[in-house]
Amino acid sequence: MTLGDRNTGRPRFLSEGAAAMRPTELSTLGDAPLVTAIGRFSQEALGEAYRRHSGAVHGLARRLLRDDTLAEEITQEVFLRLWNDPEKFDAGRGSLRSFLLAHTHGRSIDLIRSESARRTREDKDARLAPGSGQDVEEEVWEMALADSIQEALSTLGEGERRPIELAYFGGHSYREVAEILGEPEGTVKSRIRSGLKRLRVSLDAAGVSNA
Amino acid sequence: MTQHDDYTDIEELLGVYALDAADAPERHLVEQHLLVCEVCRVELSQHRTVLAALSADMEPAPDRIWARIAGTLDAQQPGPANIIPLKRVSGITGFKPLHWAAGVAAAMAVVLGGAVFTQANQINDLNIRVAAQEQEITALASVPAGNPLEQAVTVALDDPGAQVATLTAEGTSGAMLIVVLPDGTGYVYQSTLEQLPDGLTYQLWAVIDDRVISAGVLGNRPNIVPFHIDPEGLQGLVITREVSGGVAQSEAEPVVSWFSA
């Protein structure tokens, strides 16, 4: 079943009530009622969540793992988890997108840190940029981010930007980041936090932090 | 190290925690702290919002992923698609309230597979216990400002058209408070039900026009959970204990329930 023909079907488990909303109605729902409908077994609601967020979820997993098969597995897992445990999403704690991406990132990092995936990834790093793992993150970063986000990032100094890049897109622990950059661990830890705070202010100003 | 130093150390870890860049013992430390610290929960949420923004511009995911997800859901489908209609309770409108509640409760027991729900002569006892538990729960309840969901509950409870239901059961001390607004928006906002083990969840069911419809899964330790139902014809609310993720049709006995008088 494709996303397109999914939209013409009836809900799988429940034919009545709010869970039986038409796709046009679902598209107007906010995060909390959408997840509520998912909790009531509305496959259309899950499809709507997929339509809204799968690009970001899959893109992040792909960027982190550099492996299409693994990225697709993670994407599938993230949305099935939303289906199976919708109550884990708390609308009071942030958007559905940030909830899904946090899970995507966490699971991808788990994979990266597992031995086999690490080997695959390091092989690809070596092929893409021999002798410079850091350059790969830099390259991916530059290619993938929108102008508004790059602009916000440019407000960070090198000391804050690089640790965030290496940890978030490189999948390194902050201790590894400290080693790569030759900085004390405490300094890296503080700069990541202050960098995220500064980034938030910049993204707020640019109107792009409501993801 | 002082308490203040501990707190500062944990605060410093929030950024690396959001990036999944903390070590396992540090992650554990942060997670324990987050259970009790609203300030840090808010900061973590802000960090995650920033990180989500960094991932906002991506190419669409391939359709084949959705096809696999849909295939998995189809494979999980537990039997018939539709909720089985409850057996009609004839002459409902002519019944006195207590008889009516007993009639719906008996029909619920057929669908939910339990014998729990009820004899008409238990209703008076139940009503007395409801009043006592409502008083007890109200005393326990505090609805702090700040969290949007908590604020939403506060607003809902102030709505003159809101209906507050206290779900209880014979022979147990646990209860659950639910508020339902005229537009069908509802909140589970207080619960003294025991925490369920991992792998289990409480599930909320609405009895509407003699039919039982899932209103959502609540997790294994419900706090504030929003839901939406069709408010027209709402006759009752029932909680069951189910496997994590919930079920389309329950065969479990009700844990607690409420029926409109």
Side-chain angles (χ1 to χ4, degrees), chain B:
Chain B
M1 184 178 284
T2 67
Q3 252 188 342
H4 178 264
D5 289 337
D6 286 341
Y7 181 76
T8 305
D9 284 349
I10 292 170
E11 271 189 316
E12 282 297 315
L13 281 168
L14 289 173
V16 295
Y17 180 82
L19 293 168
D20 296 306
D23 293 341
E26 292 167 329
R27 279 204 305 275
H28 180 72
L29 190 67
V30 172
E31 280 159 9
Q32 292 300 306
H33 178 72
L34 288 171
L35 292 174
V36 297
C37 182
E38 175 68 13
V39 173
C40 288
R41 284 198 295 266
V42 169
E43 181 176 329
L44 177 64
S45 161
Q46 289 169 344
H47 290 331
R48 284 184 167 158
T49 299
V50 166
L51 295 169
L54 296 184
S55 307
D57 297 272
M58 306 282 183
E59 73 278 20
D63 270 359
R64 62 179 172 273
I65 304 177
W66 174 257
R68 288 207 297 269
I69 293 169
T72 304
L73 300 188
D74 288 342
Q76 285 178 355
Q77 185 172 342
N82 296 338
I83 297 292
I84 296 173
L86 283 169
K87 193 168 68 179
R88 295 290 305 180
V89 181
S90 59
I92 257 180
T93 52
F95 278 33
K96 290 179 181 177
L98 289 183
H99 293 148
W100 177 87
V104 174
M108 279 291 299
V110 171
V111 170
L112 296 167
V116 181
F117 281 126
T118 133
Q119 308 284 330
N121 60 7
Q122 293 174 334
I123 299 288
N124 279 335
D125 290 344
L126 191 63
N127 285 339
I128 293 167
R129 279 193 323 102
V130 166
Q133 290 189 335
E134 205 160 19
Q135 190 173 1
E136 183 184 342
I137 290 171
T138 303
L140 289 171
S142 63
V143 185
N147 180 311
L149 271 179
E150 290 166 346
Q151 289 172 349
V153 168
T154 304
V155 170
L157 289 170
D158 285 342
D159 189 316
Q163 185 167 21
V164 174
T166 303
L167 284 70
T168 59
E170 195 67 23
T172 65
S173 58
M176 184 175 280
L177 287 179
I178 289 178
V179 58
V180 181
L181 291 166
D183 69 356
T185 302
Y187 301 91
V188 172
Y189 69 94
Q190 187 73 23
S191 168
T192 59
L193 299 183
E194 63 176 355
Q195 179 171 355
L196 297 176
D198 288 345
L200 294 178
T201 183
Y202 289 109
Q203 185 163 356
L204 174 63
W205 304 85
V207 184
I208 297 171
D209 293 334
D210 299 345
R211 295 165 70 88
V212 182
I213 297 171
S214 173
V217 290
L218 308 178
N220 65 350
R221 189 183 184 187
N223 185 12
I224 297 178
V225 185
F227 62 91
H228 189 276
I229 56 173
D230 179 0
E232 296 296 322
L234 175 64
Q235 296 166 314
L237 296 164
V238 179
I239 297 291
T240 59
R241 190 184 288 118
E242 309 290 353
V243 294
S244 183
V247 295
Q249 285 180 222
S250 179
E251 294 183 356
E253 293 184 348
V255 176
V256 287
S257 61
W258 164 88
F259 289 94
S260 84

Side-chain angles (χ1 to χ4, degrees), chain A residues 59-71 112 120-122 124-128 133-138 140 169-172:
Chain A
L60 178 61
R62 194 159 168 262
R63 188 191 293 179
L64 283 162
L65 295 162
R66 291 170 213 156
D67 183 301
D68 287 344
T69 305
L70 289 177
I112 286 170
T120 304
R121 191 166 174 276
E122 285 173 355
K124 290 192 176 182
D125 274 357
R127 283 202 301 275
L128 284 168
Q134 289 183 45
D135 289 347
V136 174
E137 279 112 32
E138 193 93 55
V140 172
F169 291 112
H172 296 288

Side-chain angles (χ1 to χ4, degrees), chain A residues 109-162:
Chain A
I109 294 300
D110 287 345
L111 270 182
I112 286 170
R113 291 177 188 163
S114 72
E115 267 314 303
S116 58
R118 180 192 286 272
R119 265 198 306 277
T120 304
R121 191 166 174 276
E122 285 173 355
D123 287 348
K124 290 192 176 182
D125 274 357
R127 283 202 301 275
L128 284 168
S132 175
Q134 289 183 45
D135 289 347
V136 174
E137 279 112 32
E138 193 93 55
E139 180 188 352
V140 172
W141 184 263
E142 294 297 334
M143 282 169 53
L145 297 181
D147 289 347
S148 55
I149 293 169
Q150 288 201 33
E151 195 174 323
L153 279 164
S154 68
T155 63
L156 300 183
E158 182 79 2
E160 288 176 337
R161 187 171 62 85
R162 288 295 290 150

